[in-house]
Amino acid sequence: SRMGTPKAWLTWRQEPFLTRITRQLTAVAPPVIVVAAPGQALPPVAEGVRRVEDHHALQGHLAALQRGLEELGGSASRVFFCGCDAPLLAPQFVSRLASLLDRDHDLAIVDWQGRLQGCACLVRAGLRTQIEQLLHSGRRRLLDLVEVSRALIVDAGQLAEVDPQLWSLRGVNTPEQLAALIRDAAEVP
Protein backbone atom coordinates (compact mmCIF):
# COMPACT_ATOMS: atom_id res chain seq x y z
CA SER A 1 0.00 0.00 0.00
CA ARG A 2 2.93 2.38 0.62
CA MET A 3 4.02 2.03 -3.00
CA GLY A 4 0.61 2.37 -4.62
CA THR A 5 1.18 -0.91 -6.48
CA PRO A 6 2.42 -4.35 -5.39
CA LYS A 7 6.21 -4.38 -5.10
CA ALA A 8 6.56 -7.44 -7.33
CA TRP A 9 5.19 -5.33 -10.21
CA LEU A 10 7.51 -2.34 -9.71
CA THR A 11 10.06 -2.14 -12.51
CA TRP A 12 13.79 -1.74 -12.90
CA ARG A 13 14.77 -0.94 -16.48
CA GLN A 14 11.27 -1.94 -17.67
CA GLU A 15 11.52 -5.38 -16.00
CA PRO A 16 9.26 -6.20 -13.02
CA PHE A 17 11.19 -6.59 -9.77
CA LEU A 18 10.04 -10.19 -9.30
CA THR A 19 10.97 -11.16 -12.86
CA ARG A 20 14.45 -9.68 -12.43
CA ILE A 21 15.08 -11.24 -9.03
CA THR A 22 13.98 -14.72 -10.11
CA ARG A 23 16.14 -14.45 -13.23
CA GLN A 24 19.15 -13.50 -11.11
CA LEU A 25 18.56 -16.27 -8.59
CA THR A 26 18.10 -19.09 -11.10
CA ALA A 27 21.76 -18.59 -12.04
CA VAL A 28 23.06 -19.41 -8.56
CA ALA A 29 20.34 -20.87 -6.36
CA PRO A 30 18.06 -23.29 -8.20
CA PRO A 31 15.40 -24.30 -7.65
CA VAL A 32 13.75 -20.93 -7.11
CA ILE A 33 10.36 -20.91 -5.40
CA VAL A 34 8.09 -17.88 -5.21
CA VAL A 35 5.67 -17.93 -2.29
CA ALA A 36 2.60 -15.82 -3.05
CA ALA A 37 -0.55 -14.98 -1.15
CA PRO A 38 -3.59 -17.00 -2.22
CA GLY A 39 -4.85 -15.61 -5.53
CA GLN A 40 -2.09 -13.00 -5.77
CA ALA A 41 -1.39 -11.83 -9.32
CA LEU A 42 2.31 -11.89 -10.12
CA PRO A 43 4.39 -10.79 -13.09
CA PRO A 44 6.12 -13.47 -15.18
CA VAL A 45 9.01 -15.24 -13.49
CA ALA A 46 12.13 -16.87 -14.90
CA GLU A 47 11.78 -20.23 -16.60
CA GLY A 48 11.73 -23.13 -14.17
CA VAL A 49 10.67 -21.04 -11.17
CA ARG A 50 7.93 -22.67 -9.12
CA ARG A 51 5.11 -20.63 -7.66
CA VAL A 52 3.30 -21.82 -4.53
CA GLU A 53 0.60 -20.18 -2.52
CA ASP A 54 1.05 -19.53 1.13
CA HIS A 55 -1.43 -21.40 3.29
CA HIS A 56 -2.43 -18.19 5.04
CA ALA A 57 -2.25 -14.71 3.57
CA LEU A 58 -0.31 -11.95 5.29
CA GLN A 59 1.38 -14.10 7.94
CA GLY A 60 4.83 -12.66 7.40
CA HIS A 61 8.23 -13.69 6.12
CA LEU A 62 8.71 -16.60 8.50
CA ALA A 63 5.51 -18.25 7.26
CA ALA A 64 6.61 -17.69 3.66
CA LEU A 65 9.97 -19.30 4.39
CA GLN A 66 8.22 -22.26 6.02
CA ARG A 67 5.98 -22.68 2.97
CA GLY A 68 8.99 -22.58 0.64
CA LEU A 69 10.79 -25.21 2.72
CA GLU A 70 7.66 -27.33 2.69
CA GLU A 71 7.56 -27.12 -1.10
CA LEU A 72 11.20 -28.18 -1.34
CA GLY A 73 10.38 -31.26 0.70
CA GLY A 74 13.94 -31.92 1.77
CA SER A 75 15.47 -31.59 -1.70
CA ALA A 76 17.77 -28.76 -0.57
CA SER A 77 20.01 -28.56 2.46
CA ARG A 78 20.02 -24.77 2.57
CA VAL A 79 18.00 -21.98 1.00
CA PHE A 80 18.47 -18.32 0.26
CA PHE A 81 15.49 -16.26 1.37
CA CYS A 82 14.69 -12.80 0.05
CA GLY A 83 11.79 -10.49 -0.60
CA CYS A 84 10.75 -9.13 -3.97
CA ASP A 85 11.68 -5.53 -3.19
CA ALA A 86 15.45 -5.58 -3.82
CA PRO A 87 15.76 -5.44 -7.61
CA LEU A 88 19.53 -5.16 -7.60
CA LEU A 89 20.15 -8.45 -5.83
CA ALA A 90 23.39 -9.77 -7.30
CA PRO A 91 23.98 -13.49 -7.87
CA GLN A 92 27.52 -13.15 -6.53
CA PHE A 93 26.11 -11.72 -3.28
CA VAL A 94 24.12 -14.92 -2.79
CA SER A 95 27.11 -17.10 -3.65
CA ARG A 96 29.36 -15.22 -1.24
CA LEU A 97 26.82 -15.46 1.59
CA ALA A 98 26.51 -19.20 0.93
CA SER A 99 30.29 -19.59 1.15
CA LEU A 100 30.25 -18.04 4.63
CA LEU A 101 27.69 -20.45 6.11
CA ASP A 102 29.89 -23.02 7.80
CA ARG A 103 29.08 -26.30 9.53
CA ASP A 104 28.77 -24.60 12.92
CA HIS A 105 25.85 -22.38 11.87
CA ASP A 106 22.26 -22.86 10.67
CA LEU A 107 21.60 -19.31 9.52
CA ALA A 108 23.72 -16.64 7.85
CA ILE A 109 22.16 -13.22 8.26
CA VAL A 110 23.66 -9.88 7.29
CA ASP A 111 24.16 -6.96 9.65
CA TRP A 112 24.03 -3.78 7.60
CA GLN A 113 24.06 -0.34 9.19
CA GLY A 114 23.34 -1.86 12.60
CA ARG A 115 20.28 -3.83 11.47
CA LEU A 116 19.89 -7.51 10.70
CA GLN A 117 18.62 -8.03 7.16
CA GLY A 118 16.00 -10.79 7.34
CA CYS A 119 15.13 -10.45 3.68
CA ALA A 120 18.59 -11.51 2.50
CA CYS A 121 19.64 -14.55 4.47
CA LEU A 122 20.74 -18.12 4.03
CA VAL A 123 18.95 -20.79 6.07
CA ARG A 124 19.63 -24.48 6.59
CA ALA A 125 16.56 -26.55 5.77
CA GLY A 126 17.03 -28.33 9.10
CA LEU A 127 15.61 -25.25 10.85
CA ARG A 128 12.12 -26.19 9.67
CA THR A 129 11.15 -27.54 13.12
CA GLN A 130 12.24 -24.32 14.85
CA ILE A 131 10.35 -22.28 12.25
CA GLU A 132 7.18 -24.30 12.83
CA GLN A 133 7.55 -23.87 16.60
CA LEU A 134 7.95 -20.11 16.23
CA LEU A 135 4.88 -19.89 14.00
CA HIS A 136 2.86 -22.05 16.39
CA SER A 137 3.75 -19.67 19.23
CA GLY A 138 2.57 -16.67 17.18
CA ARG A 139 5.99 -15.37 16.23
CA ARG A 140 6.05 -14.31 12.57
CA ARG A 141 9.24 -12.32 12.10
CA LEU A 142 12.09 -13.97 10.28
CA LEU A 143 14.45 -12.27 12.70
CA ASP A 144 12.92 -14.40 15.50
CA LEU A 145 14.83 -17.28 13.92
CA VAL A 146 18.10 -15.72 15.12
CA GLU A 147 17.15 -16.51 18.72
CA VAL A 148 16.49 -20.22 18.11
CA SER A 149 19.31 -21.08 15.72
CA ARG A 150 23.06 -21.11 15.53
CA ALA A 151 23.14 -17.79 13.71
CA LEU A 152 26.17 -16.42 11.93
CA ILE A 153 25.93 -12.63 11.88
CA VAL A 154 27.73 -11.50 8.74
CA ASP A 155 29.01 -7.93 8.64
CA ALA A 156 27.90 -6.41 5.33
CA GLY A 157 31.52 -5.42 4.70
CA GLN A 158 32.31 -9.10 4.11
CA LEU A 159 30.02 -8.95 1.07
CA ALA A 160 31.35 -5.68 -0.32
CA GLU A 161 34.06 -7.42 -2.35
CA VAL A 162 31.32 -8.93 -4.57
CA ASP A 163 28.78 -6.11 -4.21
CA PRO A 164 30.77 -2.93 -3.45
CA GLN A 165 27.75 -0.67 -3.11
CA LEU A 166 25.71 -3.39 -1.35
CA TRP A 167 22.91 -2.89 -3.86
CA SER A 168 21.63 -6.37 -2.93
CA LEU A 169 20.50 -4.99 0.42
CA ARG A 170 18.71 -1.93 -0.93
CA GLY A 171 15.06 -2.80 -0.49
CA VAL A 172 12.36 -0.46 -1.74
CA ASN A 173 9.54 0.29 0.69
CA THR A 174 8.50 3.80 -0.29
CA PRO A 175 8.31 5.87 -3.48
CA GLU A 176 11.15 7.98 -2.06
CA GLN A 177 13.38 4.90 -1.67
CA LEU A 178 12.62 3.86 -5.24
CA ALA A 179 13.49 7.34 -6.52
CA ALA A 180 16.75 7.30 -4.52
CA LEU A 181 17.67 3.86 -5.89
CA ILE A 182 17.02 5.00 -9.45
CA ARG A 183 19.16 8.09 -8.86
CA ASP A 184 21.98 6.36 -6.98
CA ALA A 185 22.23 3.25 -9.16
CA ALA A 186 21.86 4.90 -12.54
CA GLU A 187 24.82 2.91 -13.90
CA VAL A 188 23.46 -0.51 -12.84
CA PRO A 189 21.89 -2.37 -15.79
Side-chain angles (χ1 to χ4, degrees):
S1 63
R2 290 179 282 194
M3 296 301 295
T5 189
K7 291 181 190 179
W9 288 93
L10 295 173
T11 61
W12 182 262
R13 308 289 190 256
Q14 289 77 48
E15 183 178 33
F17 279 15
L18 185 63
T19 306
R20 179 182 170 84
I21 291 168
T22 59
R23 181 175 52 76
Q24 297 283 72
L25 287 175
T26 57
V28 293
V32 174
I33 297 173
V34 172
V35 179
Q40 181 180 7
L42 294 176
V45 294
E47 187 174 330
V49 172
R50 297 189 324 230
R51 173 201 163 114
V52 298
E53 289 190 348
D54 209 344
H55 297 303
H56 308 283
L58 305 174
Q59 292 299 309
H61 292 126
L62 195 59
L65 174 59
Q66 188 274 339
R67 179 64 179 102
L69 288 170
E70 179 183 292
E71 177 66 18
L72 285 170
S75 66
S77 62
R78 55 192 182 162
V79 300
F80 178 74
F81 177 85
C82 67
C84 68
D85 64 351
L88 302 183
L89 176 66
Q92 59 271 26
F93 176 94
V94 178
S95 296
R96 177 71 175 130
L97 189 59
S99 76
L100 296 172
L101 184 63
D102 59 28
R103 301 178 87 158
D104 297 328
H105 297 92
D106 302 315
L107 168 70
I109 191 164
V110 180
D111 181 338
W112 184 46
Q113 299 177 337
R115 294 188 57 179
L116 295 180
Q117 304 299 307
C119 283
C121 64
L122 202 75
V123 179
R124 288 209 189 277
L127 285 177
R128 194 166 161 194
T129 300
Q130 290 90 327
I131 293 169
E132 289 170 358
Q133 290 171 346
L134 286 170
L135 291 170
H136 183 71
S137 69
R139 297 176 74 184
R140 306 266 179 245
R141 295 177 54 235
L142 196 131
L143 295 179
D144 291 335
L145 198 52
V146 172
E147 298 172 25
V148 298
S149 68
R150 297 176 302 154
L152 172 65
I153 308 301
V154 177
D155 182 271
Q158 291 180 267
L159 301 159
E161 70 183 53
V162 296
D163 187 359
Q165 300 299 320
L166 297 172
W167 296 124
S168 297
L169 296 172
R170 294 276 302 262
V172 174
N173 292 304
T174 66
E176 294 79 19
Q177 287 176 342
L178 179 57
L181 187 64
I182 291 168
R183 180 193 67 238
D184 297 345
E187 76 285 354
V188 178

